[in-house]
Amino acid sequence: MVPTPLAPSATDPLWWRDAVIYQIYIRSFADGNGDGTGDIEGVRAHLPYLRDLGVDAIWFTPWYPSPLADGGYDVADYRNIHPAFGDLAGAEALIQEALALGIRTIIDIVPNHISNEHEWFKAALAAGPGSPERERFWFVESETMPNHWVSNFQGETWTQVPDGEWYLHLFTPEQPDLNWNHPDVRREHEDVLRFWFDRGVAGVRIDSAALLIKDPALPEVPENPGPGEHPNTDRDEVHDVYRSWRAVADSYPGTRVLVGEVWMPDTKRFADYLRPDEMHTAFNFDFMARPWNAAELRESIDSMLAAHAPVNAPSTWVLSNHDVTRPVTRYGREDSSFAFAAKRFGTPTDLVKGTRRARAAALLSAALPGSLYIYQGDELGLPEVDDIPLREDPMHFRSNGVDPGRDGCRVPLPWSGDAPPYGWGGTPWLPQPGDWAPLTVDAQQHDPASMLSLYRAALELRRSTAALGDGDLAWTESAPDVLAFQRGDFVNVTNLSAEHVALPAHKKLLLTSEPLVNGELPPDSTAWLRV
Ligand code: NOJ
């Protein structure tokens, strides 16, 4: 196949350094065929919505054939599309139609594990102990469980098959881990990258990027592993994988980017993934996990910018994704930080306060140096849905129902109408709340005070303000609990205090997340100024 070039409007080689990237959880975005499951046709029909929102790229969570044991992060075939979402021809058309509107497409690559329905795993089970087919995975012959590694979804990481061998899965048993010491595994993934780059994809988001390499001795996790000493996370050899992926990406015209999902408290180890011959960017989860508190956020901004500087990579700014509690809910709670282990049903939430803070955070994050991620529905101010009767997420089941899981942030988007299904044809795969009529796109798009209008205005200003996007910031003098910084002739002021604060001298008030009160910025709000 002749590699598809990117659109002429999209030839800036540094596009990724300040791009606004919209995350599409395809099952829940828009329904093209009326069966209650979002699909590629639904996305194609709503590309003008994304253009009008002002995004530079869309990132699709996995859209491949999959039993959906983990929302598609259990891939059965990396070179095709799940029939419920459409087909390959539809995906190819979508990529081109989006490019024609100036929107690049990023897809999700899941290299750590595959589905137990993938041909490789089926062949490994059939071929039996000692077979070459099993060497692509971590099969171990052992009377007892080979070790006590704990799954990222709680519980055990080993499952025994009928012939007595055990196989490793850092997530669910339906997601067997691949053995990255095996040349087939490396070759296959490089081929998959080429398959999608040939189709005009502008980048890949790399799932669980730090987990690929395991200590082949499979030892227990030491009590306090030092850097690179954990037996299944952030091992030094993993960087070789991304160096070879970078070489594949760089062999294509236009910049094809590698974006890592790297959860890493050690910011130096995090930045190692962003060295010039590895990934382009990685998700900045530190900022996302911080509570709504000026000192905490400032500390995060400073430490993440400092971590990125030595490798000359831009930071990313992320308020949420398909795994975490929606911002309007999180910021409306007494503890507004995010931690997977702390998620519980029925946490008291003040959605009015949370929405106000989420508006302020939307402007703050869009003003910081680097690229920006927006998770579908955050631009509508959707809350986390707590009362879903039938849950799908293994994080919920594997916690014995203690953890609500991630279904609450994956509810199908409300497009129009006064009641569910809000513009969806059939019954949506997850039920939508009855009180979302004011949150539909139709209800918000002509209301200048809506979350959607705020996002549109912010992204338009971000695009037209040269000082925004990539670059530096300088903190300026401000009242306590206020985040004020300058970038060229642009100033951001975010008031996290309980007081109204005066704005610095300015030429023009560009945008505020709340109306000013007697010329002052009220609590939990952001102002953008030209100075
Ligand atoms: C991270 C993904 O974002 C999440 O949704 C998934 O469950 C795990 N990786 C495992 O693939």
Side-chain angles (χ1 to χ4, degrees):
M1 180 165 189
V2 182
T4 308
L6 299 178
S9 61
T11 46
D12 175 7
L14 298 179
W15 67 272
W16 51 280
R17 294 190 65 96
D18 60 3
V20 176
I21 298 155
Y22 184 90
Q23 180 190 350
I24 296 186
Y25 192 79
I26 189 161
R27 239 176 145 185
S28 301
F29 181 72
D31 187 2
N33 63 0
D35 66 355
T37 292
D39 48 37
I40 287 176
E41 291 312 306
V43 179
R44 288 172 74 181
H46 288 88
L47 285 173
Y49 169 78
L50 298 168
R51 177 203 53 207
D52 295 347
L53 182 58
V55 305
D56 302 301
I58 44 184
W59 147 37
F60 285 93
T61 48
W63 55 5
Y64 314 105
S66 161
L68 304 179
D70 178 21
Y73 285 93
D74 46 322
V75 180
D77 176 0
Y78 293 99
R79 294 180 183 79
N80 214 332
I81 298 291
H82 193 298
F85 303 150
D87 58 21
L88 197 54
E92 289 170 356
L94 180 147
I95 293 164
Q96 294 311 318
E97 287 165 13
L99 274 177
L101 299 180
I103 299 173
R104 294 171 162 85
T105 296
I106 294 175
I107 56 158
D108 219 307
I109 293 286
V110 189
N112 180 67
H113 41 269
I114 61 179
S115 164
N116 60 342
E117 298 284 316
H118 189 286
E119 288 307 322
W120 277 13
F121 193 71
K122 290 199 279 189
L125 283 186
S131 61
E133 287 85 348
R134 286 206 175 179
E135 286 169 12
R136 293 169 173 155
F137 300 90
W138 291 98
F139 274 93
V140 176
E141 193 197 325
S142 170
E143 295 231 320
T144 54
M145 194 171 291
N147 62 34
H148 298 88
W149 293 355
V150 178
S151 164
N152 286 293
F153 288 167
Q154 304 191 35
E156 289 153 357
T157 51
W158 295 93
T159 291
Q160 196 170 25
V161 298
D163 56 47
E165 286 205 338
W166 301 78
Y167 70 89
L168 174 69
H169 50 85
L170 293 184
F171 294 89
T172 70
E174 291 83 12
Q175 295 165 292
D177 277 48
L178 288 165
N179 173 5
W180 274 85
N181 299 329
H182 197 297
D184 283 0
V185 173
R186 297 198 180 220
R187 215 172 15 240
E188 167 70 0
H189 280 82
E190 290 180 20
D191 270 9
V192 168
L193 292 178
R194 288 193 191 93
F195 179 88
W196 289 104
F197 288 152
D198 285 348
R199 284 167 175 74
V201 155
V204 294
R205 176 264 189 195
I206 307 164
D207 186 69
S208 306
L211 306 186
L212 274 48
I213 305 290
K214 279 82 185 181
D215 179 340
L218 305 173
E220 296 295 350
V221 179
E223 207 167 318
N224 284 311
E229 283 173 13
H230 195 289
N232 65 39
T233 303
D234 189 34
R235 298 190 62 78
D236 291 334
E237 308 89 303
V238 78
H239 294 281
D240 292 340
V241 173
Y242 300 122
R243 280 188 203 105
S244 57
W245 287 25
R246 180 63 179 257
V248 174
D250 285 352
S251 71
Y252 279 80
T255 314
R256 315 292 170 111
V257 298
L258 310 179
V259 181
E261 190 214 11
V262 183
W263 294 86
M264 191 76 48
D266 179 332
T267 55
K268 160 77 177 74
R269 298 283 296 185
F270 172 85
D272 281 350
Y273 288 82
L274 306 178
R275 287 176 289 202
D277 58 347
E278 298 192 38
M279 299 177 191
H280 295 75
T281 60
F283 297 116
N284 170 359
F285 292 128
D286 185 80
F287 180 77
M288 183 191 79
R290 299 284 184 134
W292 185 248
N293 169 286
E296 289 260 3
L297 291 177
R298 181 165 172 164
E299 206 254 325
S300 176
I301 293 165
D302 282 339
S303 68
M304 291 310 285
L305 290 178
H308 283 80
V311 287
N312 189 29
S315 183
T316 61
W317 304 98
V318 182
L319 290 178
S320 82
N321 63 33
H322 63 295
D323 293 330
V324 311
T325 311
R326 290 267 191 195
V328 304
T329 299
R330 204 169 73 230
Y331 290 140
R333 291 179 169 170
E334 195 181 331
D335 178 0
S336 53
S337 63
F338 177 76
F340 284 105
K343 288 179 80 178
R344 291 293 174 271
F345 286 102
T347 309
T349 305
D350 176 346
L351 281 183
V352 173
K353 185 197 268 184
T355 301
R356 195 179 164 94
R357 291 176 171 178
R359 292 172 63 89
L363 295 197
L364 168 64
S365 57
L368 289 166
S371 65
L372 178 70
Y373 282 81
I374 298 169
Y375 174 47
Q376 69 178 39
D378 280 357
E379 82 281 18
L380 303 176
L382 300 186
E384 186 83 2
V385 182
D386 212 18
D387 57 349
I388 296 174
L390 278 173
R391 291 184 178 253
E392 292 238 341
D393 185 11
M395 266 191 146
H396 172 62
F397 296 116
R398 288 176 64 98
S399 74
N400 292 321
V402 172
D403 179 339
R406 301 163 296 178
D407 295 316
C409 64
R410 299 175 176 181
V411 173
L413 295 194
W415 289 97
S416 58
D418 293 331
Y422 301 115
W424 287 61
T427 306
W429 72 278
L430 274 180
Q432 301 157 310
D435 60 356
W436 274 9
L439 298 177
T440 64
V441 172
D442 267 10
Q444 295 198 41
Q445 62 185 347
H446 301 300
D447 172 4
S450 70
M451 186 72 97
L452 180 57
S453 297
L454 181 75
Y455 265 87
R456 282 183 179 161
L459 297 189
E460 195 179 319
L461 274 165
R462 190 180 194 276
R463 193 180 286 244
S464 61
T465 304
L468 290 183
D470 198 13
D472 301 323
L473 65 70
W475 294 104
T476 57
E477 284 264 333
S478 63
D481 296 326
V482 171
L483 297 176
F485 57 83
Q486 184 157 357
R487 308 191 61 198
D489 63 354
F490 172 93
V491 166
N492 175 94
V493 185
T494 302
N495 180 8
L496 294 96
S497 77
E499 314 295 328
H500 290 65
V501 298
L503 291 173
H506 53 275
K507 278 201 186 126
K508 191 173 177 197
L509 183 65
L510 298 171
L511 186 62
T512 57
S513 64
E514 299 293 330
L516 299 184
V517 178
N518 300 324
E520 293 192 324
L521 186 64
D524 293 333
S525 55
T526 294
W528 282 4
L529 312 171
R530 176 135 304 138
V531 294

